[in-house]
Amino acid sequence: MSSSLTKIRHPQGVVAPPPRELALPPRVIGHVSEAQAALAALSARLGPQTSPFSLTRLLMREEAARSSAIEGTKTTLNDLLQAEPVLEDIEARGRGAGKPDELTTIRAYALALENRLARPFDLDAACVLALHRDVFLLSPEFAGGRKGPAGAWRDRDVRIGRRGSISKATFIPPSHALVPRLMDIHTAWLGSSSEGQNRLTLPIRLALAHAHFEAIHPFVDGNGRIGRMLLSLMIVEEGFAVIPLSRLLEVERPRYYEALRFAQQRQDFVPLVLLLCDAIIEGVRSTEALHRRLSSLPDQWWDTARWPGGRPPRQGSAGNRLLDLLPIYPVITVGTVARQLGVSRQAANLAVRDLEDARVLAEQNGWRRNRVFASREVLALLDH
């Protein structure tokens, strides 16, 4: 390994910048090529003619839920989809942006990713700080200021591993005083990577960048989630389709932690490269499957036999447009429909009722107010 950047030494050890060259065994290079090819093929198949946002909205919510689950949260993708329309209605009425809880934090994760993907972005220090602030501003972890403000580099030294004696730590990140400089080095490496100034392929760059970020551990809390968000942004920055990397990382959590330890303690990146290649391939597979299944739903919904009187909603009507919205928003309220379609609540209510009569939508909660409806067919596909 070699690098033109100087290692920064500190009392806890040495954090080297990601290398610009990495010698790998042939079997690893083959797996890297397979992952890269799978990602390129998916992006080509989806193409600009499809609406990637329908996939992006759902997949980024899955990514948010699964990445958070790695840290021990219990909120599932279904929990998030069920709660989000009600939260949006509350926000639309100007009643605040939620309370510090697990679900609010996971939703903020998904929205932060969505917002970055909707417009050009630079993977610089300001972006990293903004991501942390957006995700953790209303999180229980940073409530009350115990861990400092969200969106700021850590102001204390930390260690990774079991509590108690420092000898039980599996890794000791650098002193907090070095974090700003180390993050400048980190984002400079990301920038040179995105501009093609090194010869490493994307799966390898993902592994190197992730290991380096987690070794710096720039925040008091939330490092794992922000580090995995950066992986998603790196993939999109390269022009590839967004995929849920954390689907596999959650399932193989022990392997994930061990791969990070190998990278941090031994500078052995092979386990992490292999794991991220597997995560890419699994993410591509699940994205392809979801796109294929969602694409088949409109034909099922337009079957005249399921509509009262054999008459589906007329072209251009709110009910017709709502059918196009459901693969993106499988759980809705009347307020969701009114906002997303730009129609009155009365028109939205009629559209929901028509789709409920056709068994495309089903009421979820039985409330008199804030009624929630869902396409159980879409939710079943997500479950599958």
Side-chain angles (χ1 to χ4, degrees):
M1 300 178 189
S2 65
S3 173
S4 61
L5 297 173
T6 304
K7 293 181 180 179
I8 288 188
R9 298 189 176 276
H10 54 87
Q12 285 89 346
V14 174
V15 171
R20 296 186 188 277
E21 299 175 2
L22 189 64
L24 294 171
R27 68 179 181 86
V28 179
I29 294 173
H31 205 40
V32 168
S33 298
E34 181 186 359
Q36 181 95 357
L39 199 52
L42 171 70
S43 303
R45 276 194 292 274
L46 294 182
Q49 74 278 3
T50 61
S51 173
F53 182 71
S54 59
L55 287 174
T56 299
R57 183 177 186 274
L58 295 175
L59 293 177
M60 287 304 92
R61 276 152 182 76
E62 180 185 4
E63 177 66 18
R66 289 183 178 273
S67 179
S68 300
I70 293 171
E71 309 301 327
T73 64
K74 305 299 182 185
T75 300
T76 65
L77 172 61
N78 190 64
D79 294 335
L80 178 59
L81 293 174
Q82 297 282 352
E84 193 166 24
V86 177
L87 294 176
E88 290 176 348
D89 285 352
I90 292 171
E91 292 168 1
R93 292 195 292 267
R95 297 185 181 178
K99 58 183 180 179
D101 62 16
E102 178 179 296
L103 190 144
T104 302
T105 306
I106 295 173
R107 179 174 175 239
Y109 188 128
L111 292 176
L113 268 178
E114 260 184 21
N115 291 338
R116 292 307 180 288
L117 297 178
R119 58 182 184 271
F121 57 87
D122 293 318
L123 286 178
D124 54 17
C127 175
V128 177
L129 289 168
L131 287 173
H132 193 270
R133 182 180 63 250
D134 292 349
V135 175
F136 294 104
L137 187 62
L138 290 175
S139 71
E141 293 96 326
F142 285 84
R146 290 184 302 110
K147 298 182 177 180
W153 304 135
R154 58 182 166 88
D155 59 357
R156 66 201 74 174
D157 290 348
V158 296
R159 59 180 180 265
I160 301 170
R162 290 186 293 174
R163 297 179 181 178
S165 169
I166 196 170
S167 63
K168 296 180 180 179
T170 57
F171 183 75
I172 303 175
S175 166
H176 67 277
L178 296 173
V179 167
R181 172 60 180 150
L182 286 168
M183 285 304 300
D184 285 342
I185 290 174
H186 182 77
T187 54
W189 187 89
L190 291 179
S192 67
S193 170
S194 66
E195 293 165 8
Q197 295 179 24
N198 66 52
R199 293 169 290 178
L200 300 173
T201 53
L202 178 61
I204 299 173
R205 291 201 303 276
L206 293 178
L208 296 178
H210 193 51
H212 190 242
F213 181 87
E214 299 302 330
I216 297 171
H217 224 67
F219 302 108
V220 176
D221 202 353
N223 294 281
R225 281 164 283 186
I226 299 302
R228 290 184 289 275
M229 288 181 78
L230 292 174
L231 294 179
S232 296
L233 294 178
M234 287 178 69
I235 290 173
V236 172
E237 188 182 42
E238 288 283 317
F240 294 116
V242 66
I243 57 172
L245 281 179
S246 291
R247 170 184 282 261
L248 184 78
L249 299 182
E250 181 202 356
V251 172
E252 301 218 18
R253 195 180 318 181
R255 180 185 168 196
Y256 175 40
Y257 290 156
E258 182 180 72
L260 280 173
R261 282 197 298 271
F262 270 62
Q264 292 165 350
Q265 296 174 353
R266 306 182 189 180
Q267 292 289 287
D268 179 358
F269 299 101
V270 168
L272 191 56
V273 169
L274 289 172
L275 176 62
L276 288 178
C277 285
D278 288 343
I280 289 171
I281 292 168
E282 168 59 21
V284 166
R285 186 203 63 77
S286 63
T287 299
E288 286 178 329
L290 180 61
H291 181 252
R292 184 171 60 253
R293 292 167 187 149
L294 288 178
S295 298
S296 70
L297 284 178
D299 289 340
Q300 300 174 35
W301 289 338
W302 280 105
D303 182 359
T304 56
R306 71 188 300 164
W307 295 90
R311 294 191 299 272
R314 70 182 186 280
Q315 194 73 25
S317 68
N320 179 288
R321 293 162 60 204
L322 178 53
L323 287 173
D324 292 331
L325 184 68
L326 288 181
I328 306 172
Y329 285 83
V331 183
I332 53 97
T333 64
V334 170
T336 306
V337 178
R339 286 190 301 274
Q340 293 298 322
L341 300 185
V343 298
S344 67
R345 285 188 65 88
Q346 181 181 11
N349 192 54
L350 289 173
V352 169
R353 188 181 305 168
D354 285 345
L355 269 63
E356 192 178 13
D357 290 343
R359 301 183 308 282
V360 173
L361 285 174
E363 187 176 351
Q364 293 291 94
N365 55 7
W367 299 347
R368 294 186 61 184
R369 301 181 63 183
N370 296 323
R371 297 168 71 200
V372 175
F373 302 86
S375 166
R376 291 177 179 169
E377 289 161 300
V378 176
L379 293 181
L381 295 183
L382 294 173
D383 239 8
H384 180 73

